[in-house]
Amino acid sequence: EAGVAQSPRYKIIEKRQSVAFWCNPISGHATLYWYQQILGQGPKLLIQFQNNGVVDDSQLPKDRFSAERLKGVDSTLKIQPAKLEDSAVYLCASSLYLADNEQFFGPGTRLTVL
Amino acid sequence: QQQVKQSPQSLIVQKGGISIINCAYENTAFDYFPWYQQFPGKGPALLIAIRPDVSEKKEGRFTISFNKSAKQFSLHIMDSQPGDSATYFCAARRDYQLIWGAGTKLIIKP
């Protein structure tokens, strides 16, 4: 079975620019997660979708970050405008359903903000 | 209360030795405790997990020991191999969300 796909793998932008990340979860997985992983830290959940509805976005900086999961499949995460502290790896994960124990992760997008 | 504290930050073990990574938590509402393994350039992958009603779980060379009263759990890697060199994360789940430790970078020396 194909894994979680993410693109791009790397992105370098200047502060105040905008950037978007794309995620395609494992087919049939209803739950999708976006995490931010800063170097030397564990992943931090930004937003969690169940199909195309938001389950939790309490840690998403909504003044600059937005995410959507149209049609309950692919998802995009956008940052506008980017700040230096947004430099991190953005990981997308999916699970079969909300209470499923295992999350499957994509390879991540490494963002560098200069 | 939502934190998971992981130690050590880094660990070097000789090939064939035992690697031990520890985690501690405060929130008794956590209901599931997984360990994830992450290689450079890859996303984390589930390694082994335990529920709080079990004191130990073993899968091959990997064992989780869970101490509910002390609110601590640990990962033991027996007969550590160079291929085990990776970053290991403990996590705890509440309300279908994972709270992650900071990670342990494990290096196995040949």
Side-chain angles (χ1 to χ4, degrees):
Chain A
E1 118 188 310
V4 176
Q6 289 188 248
S7 67
R9 290 296 312 276
Y10 306 92
K11 191 75 177 177
I12 300 174
I13 62 173
E14 300 204 343
K15 60 183 180 183
R16 291 188 289 272
Q17 285 187 322
S18 63
V19 64
F21 312 126
W22 174 81
C23 173
N24 181 242
I26 293 173
S27 177
H29 280 198
T31 310
L32 185 146
Y33 313 79
W34 281 104
Y35 288 91
Q36 180 192 58
Q37 186 176 23
I38 292 172
L39 188 64
Q41 298 181 19
K44 175 185 135 183
L45 180 67
L46 293 176
I47 189 167
Q48 180 179 0
F49 292 94
Q50 175 70 4
N51 296 311
N52 61 350
V54 175
V55 174
D56 187 278
D57 63 358
S58 58
Q59 297 193 88
L60 187 73
K62 299 181 188 62
D63 58 335
R64 298 184 300 105
F65 286 63
S66 64
E68 60 182 11
R69 192 183 183 198
L70 299 175
K71 301 181 182 178
V73 182
D74 294 7
S75 177
T76 56
L77 176 70
K78 296 179 182 177
I79 307 175
Q80 183 179 13
K83 292 186 176 181
L84 297 176
E85 59 261 37
D86 298 333
S87 293
V89 174
Y90 290 84
L91 294 164
C92 178
S94 69
S95 60
L96 195 56
Y97 49 88
L98 191 61
D100 191 16
N101 289 335
E102 185 169 5
Q103 295 182 21
F104 294 85
F105 284 81
T109 296
R110 181 176 296 277
L111 174 67
T112 302
V113 182
L114 303 175
Chain B
Q1 278 238 331
Q2 286 287 81
Q3 281 188 325
V4 177
K5 294 182 180 179
Q6 184 172 346
S7 63
Q9 193 172 7
S10 61
L11 181 62
I12 300 174
V13 175
Q14 288 292 129
K15 178 183 174 183
I18 302 174
S19 304
I20 302 174
I21 305 170
N22 302 298
C23 284
Y25 64 97
E26 289 293 326
N27 194 330
T28 57
F30 290 136
D31 63 359
Y32 171 74
F33 300 86
W35 285 89
Y36 278 78
Q37 180 188 55
Q38 185 176 29
F39 293 104
K42 306 286 187 183
L46 180 64
L47 186 63
I48 187 172
I50 198 167
R51 294 191 179 278
D53 54 349
V54 177
S55 61
E56 185 175 282
K57 183 174 181 181
K58 184 176 181 179
E59 290 183 1
R61 296 184 294 110
F62 301 91
T63 300
I64 300 178
S65 297
F66 190 86
N67 186 329
K68 190 173 182 178
S69 60
K71 299 179 190 173
Q72 295 175 349
F73 58 111
S74 59
L75 174 69
H76 296 235
I77 306 174
M78 312 299 288
D79 187 26
S80 299
Q81 298 297 312
D84 297 331
S85 297
T87 299
Y88 292 81
F89 293 94
C90 63
R93 186 183 70 180
R94 182 189 175 189
D95 297 331
Y96 309 125
Q97 293 181 14
L98 289 178
I99 308 298
W100 296 70
T104 296
K105 186 172 183 179
L106 174 64
I107 297 172
I108 307 300
K109 286 202 162 185

